[in-house]
Amino acid sequence: MTLTVLMNAGPWLSVPPPGYGGIENVVATLVPELRRLGVRVVLASVESSTLPVDEKIAVFPDGQFHALQRPYNQVCGVSQAHLSGVVRALHARDDIDLVHDHVEAVGLATLAAMGPDAPPALHTLHWDLAKHPELYGNLDGGDRVRVNGVSASQLARAPEALRAHAVGHVHLSTPLAVDADRHASVAKGDHVVILGRINPGKGQDLGARLAHEAGFPLVLAGPVGPYHRPEDLAAAGDEARQNPDVRFFHDHVAPYVDGDRVRWVGTVAGRDRDDLVASARALLFPLRWEEPGGTAVVESLALGTPVVATARGCLPELVEHGRTGLLTGVEEELGDLVLAAGGLEPDECRREAARRFTPARMAQRYLELYERVRQGAAQPLQPA
Ligand code: UDP
């Protein structure tokens, strides 16, 4: 019998996302693989989503991400309205075997509150689980609502009530990993890249200081708050400083950005991003937070670029020290490790990605979890 899954991607961005959009990208990667495996997918998203699915549910015509800049009392109805649409659909029809939900906090709370009338649900935790302590610390979804993490280390730090609902973790994937082991080598340059939002947790200030001290060229790729291009940030003026990531950039990163040793190039997308990463000596992750999933980490491996990182969050699960990257618990060692990363083999990185981080592998793993959830599984699966 065909399995029908309601995939709840939420109201914030269309699927696939127009630019930056981590969760929507995961959904866009997962859905085609699930359909290839025979799953019927009903996508709850916004009307403008173009991802091919079997059916679509939408409350909003297009992504509401822009509304997130508004005060809470003006924005708090957005995800509620979207979830109301999902609940209406679940009450009106009986063909949904399982809900796979990706909507932070509200998705989980609503599905748990729906009680036994609703189908079984799997809620994927894409974020830092230190957030929402009251919700996670008191969660009761019975045996109908289950959660999964995007790494074992992320789940291990979750509040106990949340962990009691977990059926395991599923590592992130990237389409770049498909046949990555068969791709030709790319000529390596001298440069090192930090790929990600400019943010204290991602540690661009530390990376930039070490670039000057250890003497390697560093490219910072990623947005500063809502600003994707250096000229847009420059034009934004002082008001932009209300955004904490803009303040972090101006106060702690910009002093090292000299346009030579350290460059900030804004958001780099598509082919340009892939070329920048594939030709890099290493991707650097000078993390100051427990990275929950690390899409940029698996992308780097798929493009044949070793990862140099602080050994925090999911990094030790994704990167094997000495083979696909170099990890350390000591921040100040990162500069030396960057210089040593040239000794690692790009082919090893690509082979690892082709083996572990393809969309097909991720979809297979989610199918296993769907089965566990439908059985009302009480025990978490063994780690993948
Ligand atoms: N990204 C990009 N261009 C940039 C910076 C980041 O395309 O200039 C992408 C990156 O390739 C990855 C995503 O943004 O796909 C970041 O996801 P990750 O899980 O690494 O970090 P998050 O922002 O979700 O914490």
Side-chain angles (χ1 to χ4, degrees):
M1 221 185 73
T2 310
L3 183 73
T4 299
V5 172
L6 187 149
M7 186 73 65
N8 188 16
W12 302 114
L13 292 167
S14 50
V15 184
Y20 187 83
I23 292 168
E24 293 76 10
N25 255 322
V26 172
V27 172
T29 306
L30 174 62
V31 165
E33 295 296 333
L34 288 175
R35 295 182 80 218
R36 208 164 290 152
L37 293 167
V39 176
R40 227 181 124 245
V41 176
V42 178
L43 178 68
S45 174
V46 292
E47 202 52 64
S48 57
S49 287
T50 55
L51 185 74
V53 288
D54 297 283
E55 222 182 298
K56 207 158 68 178
I57 295 173
V59 169
F60 293 95
D62 44 35
Q64 299 299 301
F65 190 75
H66 55 88
L68 283 175
Q69 302 292 331
R70 298 190 195 139
Y72 177 75
N73 66 1
Q74 288 174 33
V75 78
C76 64
V78 172
S79 44
Q80 310 289 352
H82 174 85
L83 257 300
S84 298
V86 170
V87 170
R88 261 197 307 277
L90 291 176
H91 279 148
R93 52 199 291 172
D94 60 4
D95 63 326
I96 305 293
D97 297 307
L98 179 129
V99 180
H100 186 176
D101 179 78
H102 302 266
V103 179
E104 183 164 356
V106 185
L108 180 63
T110 304
L111 289 164
M114 276 186 83
D117 289 350
L122 178 68
H123 171 83
T124 297
L125 301 155
H126 291 272
W127 34 81
D128 174 6
L129 303 184
K131 292 200 272 182
H132 321 308
E134 296 79 8
L135 174 64
Y136 291 159
N138 298 296
L139 181 67
D140 182 3
D143 59 5
R144 197 182 47 78
V145 176
R146 297 288 167 194
V147 302
N148 77 278
V150 289
S151 68
S153 74
Q154 175 209 29
L155 273 183
R157 284 187 306 275
E160 207 174 314
L162 185 61
R163 251 186 300 130
H165 290 73
V167 284
H169 66 273
V170 184
H171 285 144
L172 295 169
S173 71
T174 169
L176 296 167
V178 179
D179 293 334
D181 51 338
R182 291 195 229 151
H183 293 165
S185 298
V186 171
K188 289 288 185 190
D190 231 16
H191 65 280
V192 172
V193 178
I194 300 181
L195 180 68
R197 297 171 282 123
I198 312 280
N199 172 274
K202 303 276 183 189
Q204 282 90 354
D205 55 332
L206 172 62
R209 173 167 65 76
L210 294 174
H212 284 283
E213 288 173 9
F216 56 85
L218 179 66
V219 179
L220 306 175
V224 173
Y227 304 100
H228 290 277
R229 300 185 312 166
E231 53 270 40
D232 295 341
L233 179 63
D238 262 4
E239 218 170 274
R241 285 184 70 93
Q242 284 175 12
N243 182 298
D245 288 344
V246 171
R247 282 201 301 278
F248 168 69
F249 177 76
H250 282 312
D251 296 344
H252 300 286
V253 183
Y256 297 109
V257 177
D258 61 358
D260 178 27
R261 180 65 81 200
V262 179
R263 293 188 296 139
W264 173 51
V265 295
T267 301
V268 183
R271 189 62 199 267
D272 290 342
R273 180 199 64 179
D274 297 352
D275 289 345
L276 177 71
V277 172
S279 62
R281 182 199 320 197
L283 239 68
L284 178 60
F285 295 84
L287 301 173
R288 289 219 189 76
W289 77 325
E290 308 301 334
E291 182 79 33
T295 309
V297 175
V298 300
E299 289 167 347
S300 177
L301 297 180
L303 290 164
T305 299
V307 168
V308 174
T310 23
R312 295 189 68 159
C314 63
L315 269 292
E317 289 170 53
L318 304 181
V319 174
E320 189 181 322
H321 178 75
R323 191 166 66 87
T324 55
L326 297 170
L327 304 178
T328 176
V330 183
E331 287 182 355
E332 296 302 320
E333 287 179 6
L334 287 169
D336 288 342
L337 295 188
V338 161
L339 300 179
L344 297 175
E345 201 36 74
D347 288 350
E348 279 295 329
C349 301
R350 279 197 294 266
R351 265 199 291 276
E352 183 80 343
R355 193 172 66 79
R356 295 180 62 201
F357 303 124
T358 59
R361 171 100 196 240
M362 177 173 75
Q364 193 58 52
R365 177 89 179 127
Y366 270 114
L367 264 191
E368 289 165 25
L369 293 196
Y370 293 168
E371 207 35 57
R372 299 275 303 178
V373 174
R374 295 182 67 213
Q375 289 165 3
Q379 294 300 314
L381 275 185
Q382 292 307 305

